[in-house]
Amino acid sequence: MGFILEAAARILREDGRAALTTNLVAERAGIGIGTLYGYFPDKEATLIALARRMIDEDTAALRAALDTDDAEPLRLLVRTLLNRHRDDRALRREVMSVHLGQGLGPEHARPVAEISALLARRAPGLLGRTPPPEQMFVLTRAVLGIARALVEDGDGAEIPPDRLENEVLRLIRAYLGSA
Amino acid sequence: MGFILEAAARILREDGRAALTTNLVAERAGIGIGTLYGYFPDKEATLIALARRMIDEDTAALRAALDTDDAEPLRLLVRTLLNRHRDDRALRREVMSVHLGQGLGPEHARPVAEISALLARRAPGLLGRTPPPEQMFVLTRAVLGIARALVEDGDGAEIPPDRLENEVLRLIRAYLGSA
Amino acid sequence: MGFILEAAARILREDGRAALTTNLVAERAGIGIGTLYGYFPDKEATLIALARRMIDEDTAALRAALDTDDAEPLRLLVRTLLNRHRDDRALRREVMSVHLGQGLGPEHARPVAEISALLARRAPGLLGRTPPPEQMFVLTRAVLGIARALVEDGDGAEIPPDRLENEVLRLIRAYLGSA
Amino acid sequence: MGFILEAAARILREDGRAALTTNLVAERAGIGIGTLYGYFPDKEATLIALARRMIDEDTAALRAALDTDDAEPLRLLVRTLLNRHRDDRALRREVMSVHLGQGLGPEHARPVAEISALLARRAPGLLGRTPPPEQMFVLTRAVLGIARALVEDGDGAEIPPDRLENEVLRLIRAYLGSA
DNA sequence: GATGAATGAGAATTCATTCAT
DNA sequence: GATGAATGAATTCTCATTCAT
């Protein structure tokens, strides 16, 4: 199944959403169109699976960063998140668009929310106790908003990565320290 | 032309993206399909116009808020932004999806960025001098990220509006005060 | 009315049949589309008028050639016919196609048939008495077939004009002399 | 694929060009519209294929005539050509019109040119040596012009077939003998 | 399980024509 | 008489999906 999503991702990346037809996905995946339907019940399911895979990869990357024994785990998380949003932007944009259209937007915040919760539990000192839900919401969505802005090709691309990283960290820390 | 976008918006809102066909837009707008094509060269153009209109309305609403002589202009802006993202979510979601897919994402940050710049100039004390570009970027995208999360139907809906408003304000002030 | 046909001809010549819409004809003719319908009842009528105009011009050109006091009237006629089919080929091709499709093909032979008859009457010696109808038919259509081949972009373009002219004359004379 | 062209031909013949829609072709061919597009990339391609088929049939018929061991091969060729242009005139007219409009006119002369060349090689005595290119051009286009006139519904229909045949033969022989 | 030819509902778009101004 | 915005019937073509092999 992975190779099918790979094929879909490649099409999205290289040819854009309009080119993403089930027939082309099958062809690029090297299987028959009928076979594709053995893996996914319909086109939408394929798209959703693709989006979920990207989200899962985000989660895995963040978790891996968290598991690294870094002196500044929060910084590493932020760096990881920003970097992932700098890579493969065309694909991420399309996937986000599709996902949004499908009403699955909330899932997109999952990796960040999940990892934040994990971080809060694992290193309570870092975030200063476990912040209440509304603070977690504000924090995760704020950071995610910044990461997304990198995807959407805005002015963010001009800001040097480490500078942006520093600012994001400052944002997080200032907010947490302002209780 | 406005009535055409109105019709398109209504369809998006009530019937979803799949129902948005040029024929239905024309019908709901009370005009012939040929007439529709007299106003917009193709379907995509209609969608883009719709998205731009929403952005323009955001800008106008924020500007109006800014022009109100409020004791706490920043708070009013935040409230306005959050409220707009709580209203008409289905439509906003579709429009955002379309816009993203069309690669016009950056435009979405425009209202907030523009108004922030305006605010910085008009009430320098509020933001503490005019923050440098990367701080403006971080701030606007962070706030926008929070607002968008409300659209995407997340957990944010459960947070009482004024509570969220307070948190967002705290985020902004903490960040600006942490230089 | 002439300026309308002029506009239609220009479109056919420069942009091809697919571009020939009534709206474009009106625009290029510098009149409103409604006005166009004051001159011609429908598109077909415009096309037919255009074809007839070309045929009439052919007739006029041939008649003018016949009226010239040339030592070899037959040669002059042939030359005129061939030359006209070498000019403005794109337009002539489209007009012939349209005309054929409209079932008005026979009209195309009119100029040649008419002038041939005229020639037979005016200079009986040249054609050797007035040939019977079937010979007139064979002769006119044969010559017309050669002229048309020049329009259709065939190998005929490579044959030097005066050489072709000589051959056509030889064809006519040989046929007429072989009774 | 043949059955699709058959269907298209039938429509052209019976209902005229205006009725030739892709949907009707599919329906008359007894296949789905999608299937039609599996055979031909678009409508134009179908039309071109149809025209080519008619030309190929002409070629085959002429070749068959040439292969018959007739005492007068030239006469048989002429007769075959003329007869083919007397049959199925409505269809031939439409096909010629389409073909002309598509700029593929030259192909129409192919059967006659090809067979003439063959004849010249096979029976040199008949045409008196192989005539030079410009004579071949004149001869083939002249004969073709006469044949086409039969399609275009002219006065030619009134001439008794064998009489016309004789005249055409006389034209050919006179021309070839006049060197 | 894999295949891919066949399907056809449905979508976007065009353009000849009308008619109120 | 001129105009051109409005019309909508009609057409081409796409593509997700099926199912017989």
Side-chain angles (χ1 to χ4, degrees):
Chain A
M1 271 181 55
F3 64 101
I4 293 175
L5 300 182
E6 221 75 70
R10 222 183 92 211
I11 294 167
L12 233 28
R13 211 174 357 232
E14 297 169 12
D15 311 85
R17 166 119 85 138
L20 192 82
T21 65
T22 51
N23 282 286
L24 187 57
V25 171
E27 188 191 320
R28 290 278 241 278
I31 59 175
I33 175 66
T35 309
L36 178 61
Y37 276 81
Y39 287 96
F40 296 100
D42 57 27
K43 193 190 185 185
E44 197 183 295
T46 315
L47 255 16
I48 291 177
L50 180 60
R52 293 216 162 115
R53 196 183 66 149
M54 174 167 275
I55 290 171
D56 288 344
E57 287 170 356
D58 285 348
T59 309
L62 290 176
R63 201 186 303 269
L66 190 58
D67 286 344
T68 303
D69 229 345
D70 198 86
E72 291 190 273
L74 187 58
R75 175 178 296 272
L76 191 59
L77 283 176
V78 167
R79 184 181 304 161
T80 302
L81 185 72
L82 295 181
N83 279 341
R84 281 191 71 80
H85 282 77
R86 269 190 262 259
D87 270 358
D88 218 359
R89 292 203 324 221
L91 175 58
R92 190 171 283 265
R93 186 154 29 92
E94 298 288 6
V95 167
M96 279 170 56
S97 166
V98 166
H99 220 216
L100 241 181
Q102 230 101 43
L104 304 175
E107 294 190 14
H108 259 126
R110 223 192 53 205
V112 172
E114 191 180 321
I115 299 298
S116 305
L118 220 60
L119 178 65
R121 242 173 294 128
R122 196 174 296 188
L126 259 178
L127 303 184
R129 286 150 291 161
T130 296
E134 69 269 19
Q135 288 183 22
M136 283 303 258
F137 177 81
V138 164
L139 211 47
T140 53
R141 270 51 171 198
V143 174
L144 204 53
I146 297 165
R148 282 186 183 185
L150 293 177
V151 176
E152 294 173 23
D153 196 24
D155 327 293
E158 297 158 19
I159 305 174
D162 53 343
R163 183 147 200 161
L164 184 58
E165 182 185 309
N166 283 330
E167 290 300 322
V168 173
L169 275 171
R170 199 154 66 72
L171 177 77
I172 298 173
R173 287 170 178 153
Y175 179 60
L176 289 172
S178 75
Chain B
M1 270 182 55
F3 64 101
I4 293 175
L5 300 182
E6 221 75 72
R10 222 183 91 210
I11 294 168
L12 232 29
R13 207 168 9 228
E14 296 170 12
D15 311 83
R17 167 119 86 140
L20 192 83
T21 66
T22 51
N23 281 288
L24 187 57
V25 171
E27 188 191 320
R28 289 277 239 279
I31 58 175
I33 176 64
T35 308
L36 176 60
Y37 279 83
Y39 286 97
F40 298 101
D42 56 26
K43 193 190 184 184
E44 196 183 296
T46 316
L47 254 17
I48 290 178
L50 181 60
R52 294 220 160 111
R53 197 185 63 151
M54 174 167 274
I55 290 171
D56 288 344
E57 286 170 357
D58 284 348
T59 308
L62 291 176
R63 202 186 300 271
L66 189 59
D67 285 344
T68 304
D69 229 345
D70 197 85
E72 291 191 273
L74 187 58
R75 174 178 296 273
L76 191 58
L77 283 177
V78 167
R79 183 181 303 161
T80 303
L81 186 71
L82 294 181
N83 279 342
R84 281 192 71 80
H85 281 78
R86 267 190 265 258
D87 269 0
D88 220 357
R89 290 204 325 222
L91 174 59
R92 190 172 284 265
R93 185 154 29 91
E94 299 289 7
V95 166
M96 278 168 56
S97 167
V98 166
H99 222 217
L100 245 180
Q102 230 100 42
L104 304 176
E107 294 190 15
H108 257 128
R110 223 193 52 204
V112 173
E114 191 179 322
I115 300 298
S116 306
L118 221 59
L119 179 65
R121 241 172 296 130
R122 197 173 296 189
L126 259 178
L127 302 184
R129 286 147 292 158
T130 296
E134 68 269 19
Q135 288 184 22
M136 284 302 258
F137 177 81
V138 164
L139 212 47
T140 52
R141 269 54 171 197
V143 173
L144 203 53
I146 296 164
R148 282 186 181 184
L150 293 177
V151 176
E152 294 173 21
D153 196 21
D155 326 294
E158 297 157 18
I159 305 173
D162 52 342
R163 183 148 199 163
L164 184 57
E165 182 184 309
N166 283 330
E167 290 300 323
V168 174
L169 276 170
R170 199 155 64 72
L171 178 75
I172 298 172
R173 288 170 177 151
Y175 178 60
L176 289 172
S178 75
Chain C
M1 269 182 55
F3 64 102
I4 293 176
L5 300 182
E6 220 74 71
R10 221 183 93 210
I11 294 168
L12 232 30
R13 209 172 0 229
E14 296 170 13
D15 311 85
R17 167 120 86 139
L20 193 83
T21 65
T22 51
N23 283 284
L24 188 57
V25 170
E27 188 192 320
R28 290 276 242 279
I31 58 175
I33 176 65
T35 309
L36 177 61
Y37 277 80
Y39 288 95
F40 297 100
D42 56 28
K43 194 190 183 185
E44 199 183 293
T46 315
L47 254 16
I48 291 177
L50 180 61
R52 294 217 162 114
R53 196 184 64 150
M54 174 167 275
I55 290 170
D56 288 345
E57 287 169 357
D58 285 347
T59 308
L62 291 176
R63 201 186 303 270
L66 190 58
D67 286 345
T68 303
D69 229 345
D70 198 87
E72 292 189 89
L74 187 56
R75 173 177 297 273
L76 191 58
L77 283 177
V78 168
R79 183 181 304 161
T80 302
L81 186 71
L82 294 181
N83 279 341
R84 281 190 71 79
H85 281 77
R86 267 189 263 259
D87 269 359
D88 218 357
R89 293 205 321 223
L91 175 59
R92 190 172 283 265
R93 184 155 31 90
E94 299 289 7
V95 166
M96 279 169 56
S97 167
V98 166
H99 222 217
L100 243 180
Q102 230 101 42
L104 304 175
E107 294 191 13
H108 258 126
R110 223 192 52 204
V112 173
E114 190 179 323
I115 299 298
S116 304
L118 221 59
L119 179 64
R121 239 172 298 129
R122 196 172 299 187
L126 258 178
L127 302 185
R129 286 147 292 162
T130 296
E134 69 269 18
Q135 287 185 21
M136 283 303 257
F137 177 81
V138 164
L139 212 47
T140 53
R141 269 53 170 196
V143 173
L144 203 52
I146 297 165
R148 282 187 182 185
L150 293 177
V151 175
E152 294 173 22
D153 196 20
D155 326 292
E158 296 156 18
I159 305 174
D162 52 342
R163 183 148 199 163
L164 184 57
E165 183 184 309
N166 283 330
E167 290 300 322
V168 173
L169 276 171
R170 200 153 65 73
L171 177 75
I172 298 172
R173 287 170 177 153
Y175 179 61
L176 289 172
S178 75
Chain D
M1 273 182 54
F3 64 102
I4 293 176
L5 301 182
E6 221 75 72
R10 222 183 92 210
I11 295 167
L12 232 30
R13 209 170 3 228
E14 296 169 13
D15 311 83
R17 167 119 86 139
L20 193 82
T21 67
T22 52
N23 281 291
L24 187 57
V25 171
E27 189 191 320
R28 290 276 240 279
I31 59 176
I33 175 67
T35 308
L36 177 61
Y37 279 83
Y39 287 97
F40 297 101
D42 57 25
K43 194 189 183 183
E44 195 183 297
T46 315
L47 255 17
I48 290 178
L50 180 61
R52 294 218 161 112
R53 198 184 63 151
M54 173 166 275
I55 290 171
D56 289 343
E57 287 170 356
D58 285 347
T59 309
L62 290 176
R63 203 185 301 271
L66 190 58
D67 285 344
T68 304
D69 229 346
D70 197 87
E72 289 190 275
L74 187 58
R75 175 178 296 272
L76 191 57
L77 283 177
V78 167
R79 183 181 305 160
T80 303
L81 186 72
L82 293 181
N83 279 341
R84 282 192 70 79
H85 281 77
R86 268 191 264 258
D87 269 359
D88 219 358
R89 291 204 325 222
L91 174 59
R92 190 172 284 265
R93 184 153 32 89
E94 298 289 6
V95 166
M96 277 169 56
S97 167
V98 165
H99 221 218
L100 242 181
Q102 230 99 41
L104 304 175
E107 294 190 14
H108 259 126
R110 226 194 49 206
V112 172
E114 192 180 320
I115 299 298
S116 306
L118 220 59
L119 178 65
R121 242 173 295 129
R122 198 174 293 187
L126 259 176
L127 302 184
R129 284 148 292 159
T130 297
E134 68 270 18
Q135 289 184 21
M136 283 302 257
F137 177 81
V138 164
L139 212 47
T140 53
R141 270 53 171 197
V143 173
L144 203 54
I146 297 165
R148 283 187 181 184
L150 293 177
V151 175
E152 294 172 21
D153 196 23
D155 327 293
E158 298 158 17
I159 305 174
D162 53 342
R163 182 146 199 162
L164 184 58
E165 182 185 309
N166 283 330
E167 289 301 322
V168 173
L169 275 171
R170 198 154 65 73
L171 177 76
I172 297 172
R173 287 171 178 151
Y175 179 61
L176 288 172
S178 76

